[in-house]
Amino acid sequence: MRINRLLCLILVSIIFFTQSHVIYAQRGVSNQRLEWYFEKKGEEKPPITDARYMELVHKYDSLFIGDPGKKDIYLTFDNGYENGYTDNVLDVLKRKKVPAAFFVTGQFMKTHPHLIKRMADEGHIVGNHSYYHPDLTQVSDARLKNELEKVKLRYTEITGRTDMNYIRPPRGVFSERTIMLAKQQGYTHVFWSLAFLDWETNKQRGWQYSYNQIMKQIHPGSIMLLHTVSKDNADALERTIEALQKRGYTFKSLDDLQLKKSVPTPLLFKS
């Protein structure tokens, strides 16, 4: 009896997988699991990424980097949960008059709605990081849609606004299918061209580490990914902003970048 049940479960799983594969194939899209990455160049040179990734970025009007010929920076934060530093980050941004985008989860919105309201009230972009932070390539179409809808609904309840137009996939995991489905829901995927290991709260190394990592990787058109759970980032932020402005960089909003997307930019990728 147990063997028969096991065989039935295996058969159902095979059928489900096959049907899902056929559905994606019929759509002409792949659900192959991909993880965003880029190859650092240093010396203020733009990084490169895989040609397949750039193809998807352009096909679905996603963002990875700004114009590598202009010293503009796009500051973004991922907010999976609150660790006590987001108010400090917002204080610095307010003092320095710097815009940012915060990609938030359901957990963050549930526990700290006042921070969501503050972000919106102070002119920052609030983006969608999914409600439960799953691997979106492993959930159904309906679940993916629900993940995004729940975040946007809560955002509207907190702020009275509906302008949630950007998504950052959890852990940088994506597929053509997930990008396509998010775009159908009105979202632009935002990847990044500058990042480092900053989210491990038990491995913080001091403000200098965050500062040095950013200054080593900075390049014109940077879309910077930072995490607000990092004390290093919170402590380094003001010094970093001042140093980059002295180098001639200007902090811009993702909305500014969207307006410039009609201007052709070089394709930066590996063959």
Side-chain angles (χ1 to χ4, degrees):
M1 183 65 71
R2 289 183 178 176
I3 293 177
N4 289 338
R5 287 181 180 176
L6 180 60
L7 288 174
C8 287
L9 287 173
I10 292 173
L11 181 60
V12 169
S13 297
I14 291 172
I15 292 172
F16 177 79
F17 175 81
T18 303
Q19 288 177 338
S20 298
H21 178 75
V22 170
I23 290 170
Y24 300 145
Q26 287 174 345
R27 289 178 179 162
V29 297
S30 169
N31 195 45
Q32 179 185 357
R33 186 181 188 276
L34 304 171
E35 295 185 25
W36 182 259
Y37 82 95
F38 60 91
E39 184 178 312
K40 302 172 185 177
K41 291 295 183 180
E43 298 179 346
E44 299 192 51
K45 297 178 182 177
I48 59 176
T49 189
D50 193 285
R52 297 172 303 162
Y53 294 7
M54 284 306 300
E55 182 180 354
L56 292 176
V57 164
H58 285 281
K59 183 175 181 179
Y60 293 98
D61 299 316
S62 302
L63 302 176
F64 146 55
I65 191 172
D67 186 342
K70 293 186 178 180
K71 298 186 81 169
D72 294 333
I73 303 173
Y74 307 92
L75 183 58
T76 74
F77 294 90
D78 281 4
N79 295 71
Y81 63 95
E82 175 55 18
N83 198 34
Y85 304 116
T86 304
D87 260 324
N88 296 343
V89 167
L90 287 167
D91 288 345
V92 170
L93 297 176
K94 187 174 183 178
R95 281 198 301 273
K96 308 308 291 185
K97 296 182 172 59
V98 167
F102 295 87
F103 291 89
V104 301
T105 63
Q107 169 69 16
F108 189 92
M109 303 180 89
K110 182 179 180 180
T111 59
H112 289 78
H114 66 285
L115 290 176
I116 301 296
K117 191 171 190 312
R118 182 179 175 189
M119 291 168 187
D121 288 348
E122 295 182 2
H124 301 295
I125 289 170
V126 180
N128 203 318
H129 200 36
S130 79
Y131 200 85
Y132 292 108
H133 205 260
D135 178 341
L136 294 177
T137 68
Q138 301 302 305
V139 303
S140 68
D141 291 6
R143 166 78 185 277
L144 188 151
K145 181 179 178 180
N146 187 249
E147 286 279 341
L148 303 188
E149 285 182 342
K150 287 183 70 173
V151 172
K152 188 168 186 176
L153 178 61
R154 185 68 181 121
Y155 169 71
T156 300
E157 290 173 348
I158 294 169
T159 67
R161 299 167 57 162
T162 60
D163 56 336
M164 181 170 276
N165 305 312
Y166 300 98
I167 179 175
R168 174 160 287 149
R171 296 178 290 277
V173 174
F174 65 102
S175 69
E176 180 172 3
R177 165 187 166 256
T178 62
I179 294 181
M180 181 193 73
L181 290 173
K183 186 172 175 60
Q184 289 175 353
Q185 298 302 311
Y187 288 96
T188 296
H189 262 68
V190 181
F191 296 104
W192 57 89
S193 61
L194 188 159
F196 55 95
L197 187 62
D198 65 343
W199 62 88
E200 295 183 341
T201 57
N202 62 339
K203 294 183 180 179
Q204 297 296 290
R205 312 179 194 188
W207 73 266
Q208 192 80 46
Y209 172 74
S210 175
Y211 176 90
N212 289 341
Q213 288 294 317
I214 293 170
M215 300 307 286
K216 284 192 299 184
Q217 293 187 47
I218 199 65
H219 58 272
S222 297
I223 294 183
M224 299 171 55
L225 165 58
L226 301 176
H227 290 80
T228 55
V229 296
S230 166
K231 185 177 187 301
D232 292 353
N233 288 341
D235 291 346
L237 186 60
E238 189 156 10
R239 296 179 178 93
T240 303
I241 289 171
E242 291 171 352
L244 290 172
Q245 289 174 333
K246 286 179 181 178
R247 283 198 190 184
Y249 284 95
T250 301
F251 287 86
K252 297 287 186 70
S253 165
L254 290 177
D255 286 341
D256 295 320
L257 181 54
Q258 283 288 71
L259 291 174
K260 296 176 182 177
K261 284 177 64 178
S262 59
V263 179
T265 56
L267 295 182
L268 304 170
F269 59 81
K270 296 189 293 187
S271 60

